[in-house]
Amino acid sequence: MKLNLDTINKILNGLVDGIANKAIFTGLVPKFWQLYLDAKEELGLDIVDTCATSQCLSVLAKAKYNDTDLISEAVASVVRLRNEEGSWPSAITPDELKKPEKRRKGDTAIGDNCFALTALIDANFLSDDFIYLKHLSENYKDLYYRISFILTSVDWLLENKAKDGIGWYYTDNREAKSKSVTLTTLNVLQTFSEIIYCLKKCSINNKLSYPQQNTCRIYIDKLEKQLKTIVDVL
């Protein structure tokens, strides 16, 4: 069977619908996804997975899915998933999502932080065009508040490089054996590149004050230097 553009679009739209229909709603927290789309039925588990929720958010946002409320809930889940210091855990329970003080401690996967940051960027989190505010606090209506949210996570990534100081390990583990891993490092650099692109627009946004624009420029310079230094080593 020869596939034409209409057929391909129909298949892709069906996949997007399938992802949307697998969102889990407990009534306690915004909708989220598990690592495996059939896990809830087979295992009876309710685990909020950062990677899955972020990836599903990215797909729905990029597809401009018509259920904006679902995307708003996904954004709210990704925002809530983040810890106070700026990092995302790999997975938590809905109860832990509702009550951060109950969260378990452990190594944090660097890749999951890249997925979460990318998902928010895909949803226009760093743009005046960000519309998925329904399930967020009033603070998130302010563009610079959202910029600061992202920059806190950028700082966390910069502070949690591998022990060798070059790139990033699989997790934030800082033991001597935790050396830079090429795949993880490239994922972080890709995420930084996307953030730089958004910050460049913010740095000339007239709705921001000069000090706010300048903060964007400072981080652009900081991240571009990171990219150059690491690429030279790679």
Side-chain angles (χ1 to χ4, degrees), residues 3-17:
L3 292 178
N4 57 35
L5 186 58
D6 288 339
T7 302
I8 293 172
N9 284 333
K10 185 176 181 179
I11 292 171
L12 292 177
N13 289 335
L15 293 173
V16 173
D17 285 335

Side-chain angles (χ1 to χ4, degrees), residues 19-191:
I19 287 173
N21 292 333
K22 285 297 183 176
I24 295 171
F25 180 64
T26 65
L28 299 175
V29 295
K31 291 180 180 178
F32 60 88
W33 284 263
Q34 295 174 284
L35 185 57
Y36 301 104
L37 294 180
D38 59 352
K40 189 173 191 297
E41 290 78 8
E42 291 189 359
L43 304 176
L45 298 176
D46 282 328
I47 300 296
V48 188
D49 188 88
T50 296
C51 172
T53 300
S54 299
Q55 292 278 53
C56 289
L57 169 57
S58 284
V59 169
L60 295 175
K62 284 185 172 182
K64 294 181 172 59
Y65 193 63
N66 57 13
D67 188 345
T68 56
D69 189 63
L70 173 58
I71 299 177
S72 296
E73 291 204 47
V75 167
S77 284
V78 172
V79 168
R80 287 194 189 191
L81 270 163
R82 198 184 76 165
N83 295 318
E84 288 185 359
E85 71 272 16
S87 68
W88 276 269
S90 292
I92 60 177
T93 65
D95 190 47
E96 289 174 311
L97 185 61
K98 185 179 180 183
K99 301 174 182 177
E101 67 275 7
K102 290 189 174 184
R103 293 189 182 186
R104 295 157 288 176
K105 301 296 181 182
D107 291 350
T108 299
I110 299 297
D112 288 334
N113 285 264
C114 294
F115 287 132
L117 285 166
T118 298
L120 292 176
I121 290 169
D122 288 339
N124 287 326
F125 197 75
L126 292 183
S127 167
D128 286 327
D129 298 328
F130 180 65
I131 61 173
Y132 306 113
L133 290 157
K134 183 176 179 180
H135 300 280
L136 297 174
S137 70
E138 289 290 312
N139 293 331
Y140 289 91
K141 289 183 177 179
D142 180 65
L143 173 59
Y144 191 70
Y145 187 87
R146 300 197 301 272
I147 292 171
S148 298
F149 181 92
I150 296 296
L151 295 184
T152 297
S153 295
V154 167
D155 286 335
W156 184 88
L157 283 170
L158 292 175
E159 292 163 4
N160 284 276
K161 297 176 75 172
K163 188 70 174 178
D164 57 25
I166 299 172
W168 285 264
Y169 182 58
Y170 296 112
T171 70
D172 60 345
N173 188 306
R174 299 300 302 279
E175 295 178 4
K177 65 179 181 180
S178 306
K179 297 181 180 180
S180 299
V181 175
T182 300
L183 178 60
T184 309
T185 300
L186 290 176
N187 285 339
V188 174
L189 295 184
Q190 174 63 33
T191 302

